[in-house]
Amino acid sequence: MSSLSGATVKLALSGDSVILRGALRGKQAPAERTLSLAFISAPRLGNAKKESVDEAFSLESREYLRRRAAGKAVRFSVAYTTASGREFGHLYLGPDLVRDNAALMIVREGWARVSDAARGKLSRSDTTDEDRMMIEDLVDGEQYARDGRRGMWDEAAKAGRPRLVAFEGDAAEFLAAHKGRELRGTVEMVRDAASLRVMLHLPQAHQMVTVALAGVRAPQVAEPFGAEARFNVELRLLQQDVKVRLEAPAHGAPGSFVGTVAHPAGNIAEWLVSSGFARVQDWSAAHASDPQRLRTLEREARTKRLRLWQSESADAPASSAVFEATVVRVVSGDTLVVADASGADREFQLASVRQPRAADPATAGYAELAREALRRFCIGKPVSVAVDYHKPATEGFRARDCATVRVRGEDAAARLVRAGLLGVLRHRADDDHRSSNYDELADAEAQAVAAKAGMHSGKPVAPAKLADASESAARARSFLPHWQRSGRVPCVVEHVAGGARFRLLVAKDAAKLTFVLGGIRCPRAPRANDSDGEPWGAEALAYSQRHALQRNVEFEIEGVDKAGAFIGSLWLAKDQSLAEDLLRSGLASVHAFSADQSPHGAALRAAERQAQDAHRGMWADYDAAAAEAASRQVEEEKKARHAEPAAPLAPRTEFLDVVVSELERASGRFFVQIAQPDNIAGLESLMQALALDLKQPKQPADFAPKAGQLVAACYSVGDEWHRARLVKHMPGKRECEVLYVDFGNSEILPVDRIRPLSAKFSALPTQAHEAQLAFVSLPNESFASDYVNDSMDELRRLVEGRQLVANVEARPSNGPLHLTLYDPELGRPLIEKSVNGLIASAGFAVADKRALSTLHNQAAAAKIDALVAEARENHRGMWEYGDVTADD
């Protein structure tokens, strides 16, 4: 007998043929050879390429040899080689050369027969004694099988279930029938480490399918580590019996599915990931048996820098930073603001999800539903926040922190994804910027798609249309009876404009309204980048935002003001009034007149007394005795006013040199600059420094324009930078309306011509002061509108390009200066010769008897009134066709 060699059976091709694999040497792939068993012939398996079919009992024959030899160490010898290079020889599955002879074992079990060529060799003289003895043993073995009706010699036996190599049925029906069930199978081929050809042993047939391992992506054979990964999977699974679960359809030819493959020794997907041969694949991880374990094994492989991770940092990715917080505002369906333990507000975007596009008509309604669903689930509730990653600023988008937010252990993002209100982002395989709960998100989206929930239904939802009940006083009065009859009306606080002023949304009536707390007065809060707020105004605003913003509350109507705002009480809970809470916290005071009209006046006063007694908020320095004395004095002054005619206020004398820098056509107001050398020099110096500071054209990525903000704006004519206040931001057009605070003119600019203003340029007071002519009103859009242009032309003729002397007749606490303008060449100020008198005399003004300037200087106001009367009588200016005030 020729010498025996050692090898491992890679796979059994048929009942009489195997592929042998040599020993692994270094990093080279081991040599392989095909060996056919000498002297026997087994039934042939069909070949799809040659369009041949399986012979009877061919699969049973192959299976007998596979179960005993595949993956096992064997010994073999080559008996002879044909002219075509095909090798025939002897295979031994154990140490005994007779009992462990593979050919003899197969023949004795009836799954192969002695070949005709071998029988012919028995009568030939050149047959060696060794071959003759082996052939005789095989003939005896075949006779043993025939006599015992073993294998294919059993006349009553029928060929087993057919072997279906091609998948010809309906893949969707096949998956529906077998999804999630544990199926027996045999791995017939390893395409690459994560793609296997498996023969499923089903009751009706042996069906060949392609299984993509769920949750992992392995390199292709031609990619780094691809060949090594496939070789290792072949060592462990090729022609081994496994348990298969099909979970979802896979891309590729019919019969391709995503699933899990388990061997008694373990889960091959987990082994691939733990060995660094594969990465976790997000989209299919939800179908894996244990996605979190795959993530853990991947982190461990990265830490050890195994194979695919050799170029990665030695440090494992940092775990999420987790903290407890309370949700105080929901910005959109995927963004919210929380208050941490220190009370600081922090904004987060929900990690790895995105809301439906509000600009897309097909999904705009779902964007609103997502925001409302997140508000209902989270607002005001304690949450656990796991910060997953930071999203840097990009063009048009500011930097964001992204997190997984849980309410009582439930992931808020997963809840909305499951309802079909959020979509899940697809991350690159090497992208660690993802949710720490990504697998649940992917699974939730799969559920939503299967259930056709939300935006996966294919049915567009129109955005809600809300009537504005506060559009005008008349509109408000039409809603008033209905809401007064309803008592307490459920609503949502959509916006908090001040401590006592709100924007409410009434879903059942599809309406929104402006609402003011009755019976109290809250200090005015400062606007953005402004310091003109009243003491405790910011605190009152913050209190109302914390306790009422986006909460489900109830309102109770007491009346409507002249601007269409509703006045009444706001209830945070059954017996919790926000107005009383503000008073009790010292952040508001009782408004005597409106409190007297309110049915809750006594409760409001009691809440205020509690704050006064405890010296809270604005009452920190409250002196009860002094307050009582002041109250008595006010009462005495009231009695005195009722007893005697009111005395006029004293005229003011405050002369300034001014230049009119801008005229507002619509309102008749204007802006003046005070002509002082220091002011002029300071403004010139500031503009030069501002031009140098803004030489860099790039806008900061995190710049977010807000109304009221002091900014630097590039004027459209001349491309010069000036200080400006942002009046209105129009994100849809990417434009802003700005007011140039040193000159008074305004215009609409693209956002890219606006920059944040450095604090060093805010020290110089704004140079343009809004003003109006004292004692008079000029034509405007609501009064004598046909004469607006004529009156402004006359005013421009009198003031443009000239330095004037102005007397400040009144300085309202919240409004334009009331000025009388004089030509400095007059010598002494004569009201009849002032700009005010000249424009009244020209017939382009009416006397404003309620103006604060009129109360201060009634003598001058009387002279102006006389000039107006004279112009009316002589039909000058707007009086040319009669009295334009006759209808007022």
Side-chain angles (χ1 to χ4, degrees):
M1 173 183 285
S2 59
S3 61
L4 297 177
S5 300
T8 300
V9 177
K10 178 181 178 180
L11 75 161
L13 296 172
S14 63
D16 61 3
S17 184
V18 295
I19 294 180
L20 301 176
R21 176 188 287 137
L24 182 65
R25 294 178 181 176
K27 294 185 177 181
Q28 296 296 321
E32 295 182 357
R33 66 199 304 171
T34 301
L35 181 71
S36 297
L37 300 185
F39 308 142
I40 68 171
S41 176
R44 302 277 74 138
L45 287 167
N47 189 314
K49 292 182 179 179
K50 296 180 180 179
E51 297 184 353
S52 60
V53 297
D54 293 350
E55 294 181 358
F57 302 108
S58 58
L59 182 60
E60 289 84 347
S61 174
R62 198 286 304 262
E63 285 294 277
Y64 179 85
L65 181 58
R66 177 190 69 81
R67 290 193 181 99
R68 286 156 181 77
K72 305 289 179 59
V74 296
R75 291 185 298 164
F76 74 96
S77 64
V78 177
Y80 59 92
T81 304
T82 65
S84 63
R86 184 177 178 185
E87 293 182 326
F88 287 80
H90 310 297
L91 185 70
Y92 301 96
L93 306 184
D96 193 304
L97 298 184
V98 177
R99 201 168 51 244
D100 295 326
N101 184 320
L104 184 58
M105 294 169 65
I106 295 169
V107 169
R108 286 178 62 85
E109 290 299 323
W111 297 121
R113 62 182 179 83
V114 180
S115 67
D116 293 339
R119 289 180 182 275
K121 292 190 73 164
L122 289 176
S123 59
R124 290 170 52 181
S125 60
D126 60 347
T127 302
T128 64
D129 293 340
E130 182 182 346
D131 287 350
R132 188 182 302 277
M133 185 181 300
M134 185 170 289
I135 293 172
E136 289 174 350
D137 287 342
L138 290 171
V139 170
D140 291 343
E142 180 179 326
Q143 191 59 48
Y144 171 79
R146 287 175 181 269
D147 294 343
R149 296 184 177 181
R150 294 174 176 271
M152 59 185 177
W153 307 119
D154 185 356
E155 296 177 357
K158 297 181 180 179
R161 293 161 286 175
R163 183 178 70 106
L164 305 178
V165 177
F167 192 93
E168 297 179 350
D170 187 305
E173 290 182 4
F174 185 87
L175 180 62
H178 301 290
K179 182 177 180 179
R181 294 174 52 198
E182 190 175 80
L183 307 174
R184 292 188 309 108
T186 303
V187 177
E188 296 290 334
M189 178 184 176
V190 179
R191 287 183 164 178
D192 60 55
S195 179
L196 313 176
R197 290 282 285 168
V198 180
M199 185 166 63
L200 298 178
H201 305 305
L202 303 176
Q204 302 82 13
H206 301 282
Q207 176 66 62
M208 193 78 76
V209 297
T210 300
V211 179
L213 296 180
V216 300
R217 181 194 178 280
Q220 300 293 313
V221 175
E223 296 175 343
F225 302 104
E228 184 183 355
R230 182 176 71 171
F231 173 75
N232 276 276
V233 173
E234 286 179 344
L235 281 180
R236 289 160 174 79
L237 291 187
L238 188 59
Q239 284 205 331
Q240 299 299 306
D241 291 328
V242 294
K243 297 293 178 65
V244 178
R245 288 183 186 271
L246 304 182
E247 301 292 350
H251 302 297
S256 298
F257 304 95
V258 174
T260 58
V261 175
H263 185 269
N267 185 308
I268 190 62
E270 293 179 2
W271 181 85
L272 284 168
V273 173
S274 67
S275 302
F277 280 124
R279 305 173 188 270
V280 176
Q281 187 178 56
D282 293 328
W283 72 269
S284 66
H287 302 300
S289 56
D290 191 348
Q292 289 303 319
R293 176 162 174 75
L294 287 179
R295 300 280 185 198
T296 301
L297 293 172
E298 183 181 56
R299 284 195 295 271
E300 291 175 356
R302 295 183 67 170
T303 303
K304 298 174 183 176
R305 302 175 72 180
L306 299 177
R307 297 181 177 89
L308 293 176
W309 309 112
Q310 285 181 359
S311 60
E312 293 290 313
S313 168
D315 297 327
S319 59
S320 299
V322 182
F323 65 93
E324 302 301 314
T326 301
V327 177
V328 295
R329 183 161 63 93
V330 172
V331 179
S332 64
D334 62 1
T335 305
L336 44 75
V337 178
V338 302
D340 60 19
S342 68
D345 286 357
R346 299 177 62 182
E347 182 176 306
F348 290 97
Q349 185 172 359
L350 298 180
S352 296
V353 297
R354 61 166 160 244
Q355 67 169 342
R357 293 186 51 162
D360 185 349
T363 59
Y366 289 110
E368 287 187 5
L369 293 177
R371 180 175 181 268
E372 175 62 11
L374 187 61
R375 183 197 69 80
R376 286 177 176 271
F377 185 56
C378 291
I379 195 69
K381 296 178 182 177
V383 295
S384 171
V385 181
V387 184
D388 294 322
Y389 57 92
H390 176 78
K391 187 185 293 184
T394 56
E395 186 176 354
F397 298 94
R398 55 192 175 86
R400 295 263 182 114
D401 286 325
C402 298
T404 298
V405 177
R406 295 180 181 273
V407 181
R408 295 186 296 274
E410 183 178 0
D411 186 342
R415 181 186 179 95
L416 267 66
V417 169
R418 200 171 288 111
L421 299 177
L422 292 179
V424 179
L425 297 175
R426 297 286 182 260
H427 296 285
R428 297 191 315 273
D430 59 347
D431 184 7
D432 293 323
H433 290 172
R434 68 183 68 213
S435 168
S436 53
N437 194 37
Y438 189 88
D439 297 318
E440 184 181 349
L441 295 178
D443 182 55
E445 185 172 52
Q447 293 178 35
V449 171
K452 296 184 178 179
M455 58 185 176
H456 305 295
S457 66
K459 301 175 183 177
V461 174
K465 294 182 179 180
L466 302 175
D468 188 355
S470 296
E471 183 180 20
S472 64
R475 187 73 178 272
R477 283 192 290 271
S478 69
F479 280 85
L480 183 61
H482 165 61
W483 282 336
Q484 282 185 321
R485 286 194 305 269
S486 300
R488 292 191 182 184
V489 180
C491 65
V492 175
V493 179
E494 190 68 16
H495 177 66
V496 179
R501 193 173 187 88
F502 309 89
R503 197 75 172 146
L504 307 182
L505 190 154
V506 186
K508 71 181 184 69
D509 294 328
K512 56 186 177 180
L513 66 144
T514 300
F515 188 84
V516 179
L517 295 180
I520 69 169
R521 182 192 179 279
C522 271
R524 180 167 47 82
R527 297 180 180 179
N529 292 340
D530 204 346
S531 59
D532 62 350
E534 297 174 346
W536 298 100
E539 290 81 357
L541 173 63
Y543 186 94
S544 292
Q545 287 176 331
R546 276 285 189 273
H547 293 83
L549 181 61
Q550 294 186 332
R551 307 300 176 89
N552 292 322
V553 299
E554 295 178 332
F555 67 85
E556 191 176 19
I557 299 294
E558 296 169 12
V560 175
D561 69 13
K562 61 183 180 181
F566 291 83
I567 302 170
S569 300
L570 201 64
W571 302 91
L572 305 180
K574 182 178 180 181
D575 298 314
Q576 185 183 2
S577 163
L578 179 58
E580 292 179 31
D581 287 351
L582 286 164
L583 289 167
R584 206 172 285 115
S585 302
L587 300 175
S589 58
V590 170
H591 187 275
F593 177 78
S594 58
D596 290 340
Q597 314 303 313
S598 171
H600 309 291
L604 296 176
R605 287 188 167 87
E608 183 184 54
R609 281 194 297 273
Q610 291 180 30
Q612 291 170 343
D613 293 343
H615 296 279
R616 297 192 190 107
M618 64 175 64
W619 308 111
D621 301 322
Y622 178 71
D623 185 337
E628 187 177 348
S631 178
R632 282 197 303 268
Q633 183 178 349
V634 169
E635 289 298 322
E636 290 172 1
E637 289 177 354
K638 280 184 180 179
K639 292 177 182 178
R641 280 198 298 271
H642 287 296
E644 301 174 5
L649 298 171
R652 297 182 87 260
T653 303
E654 184 185 352
F655 289 101
L656 302 170
D657 292 329
V658 299
V659 173
V660 176
S661 58
E662 181 68 16
L663 295 174
E664 285 187 356
R665 182 173 297 274
S667 66
R669 295 178 181 177
F670 51 90
F671 286 85
V672 297
Q673 294 174 322
I674 299 174
Q676 293 180 350
D678 290 346
N679 289 354
I680 297 171
L683 181 58
E684 290 177 351
S685 175
L686 181 142
M687 289 179 62
Q688 291 173 1
L690 187 61
L692 289 173
D693 195 64
L694 292 172
K695 274 188 175 180
Q696 297 297 330
K698 268 204 166 185
Q699 187 181 75
D702 59 352
F703 177 56
K706 295 180 181 178
Q709 185 177 6
L710 200 60
V711 297
C714 189
Y715 193 45
S716 58
V717 178
D719 288 337
E720 292 183 346
W721 290 95
H722 298 281
R723 297 190 299 174
R725 190 172 304 284
L726 203 146
V727 178
K728 186 191 298 183
H729 181 211
M730 296 167 274
K733 298 181 180 179
R734 291 188 57 76
E735 292 179 338
C736 293
E737 181 181 350
V738 297
L739 171 70
Y740 294 102
V741 295
D742 295 316
F743 298 93
N745 56 318
S746 60
E747 66 174 338
I748 294 176
L749 292 175
V751 173
D752 58 12
R753 293 179 72 89
I754 297 171
R755 302 286 184 272
L757 187 69
S758 175
K760 64 184 177 181
F761 296 115
S762 302
L764 181 71
T766 56
Q767 297 298 296
H769 304 275
E770 189 177 13
Q772 69 180 57
L773 293 178
F775 317 122
V776 297
S777 292
L778 302 186
N780 53 54
E781 292 179 351
S782 59
F783 157 66
S785 57
D786 291 343
Y787 295 93
V788 169
N789 290 339
D790 295 334
S791 66
M792 293 309 295
D793 289 342
E794 180 67 14
L795 182 58
R796 180 175 287 105
R797 185 184 67 81
L798 295 170
V799 303
E800 195 169 53
R802 304 171 64 190
Q803 183 169 315
L804 303 168
V805 174
N807 183 43
V808 183
E809 304 287 355
R811 283 184 179 271
S813 59
N814 186 20
L817 300 174
H818 290 218
L819 302 182
T820 302
L821 300 178
Y822 297 97
D823 186 334
E825 296 180 1
L826 284 176
R828 63 192 184 95
L830 296 173
I831 192 67
E832 297 87 347
K833 300 296 183 182
S834 68
V835 172
N836 309 49
L838 293 174
I839 204 159
S841 181
F844 292 115
V846 294
D848 188 350
K849 298 181 179 180
R850 290 182 294 182
L852 186 59
S853 53
T854 300
L855 298 177
H856 272 287
N857 195 342
Q858 294 184 4
K863 293 180 180 180
I864 292 292
D865 195 14
L867 293 173
V868 170
E870 182 193 3
R872 184 187 300 114
E873 291 172 6
N874 291 289
H875 298 282
R876 290 197 291 267
M878 64 184 178
W879 312 110
E880 60 181 334
Y881 298 116
D883 191 348
V884 295
T885 64
D887 296 333
D888 294 344

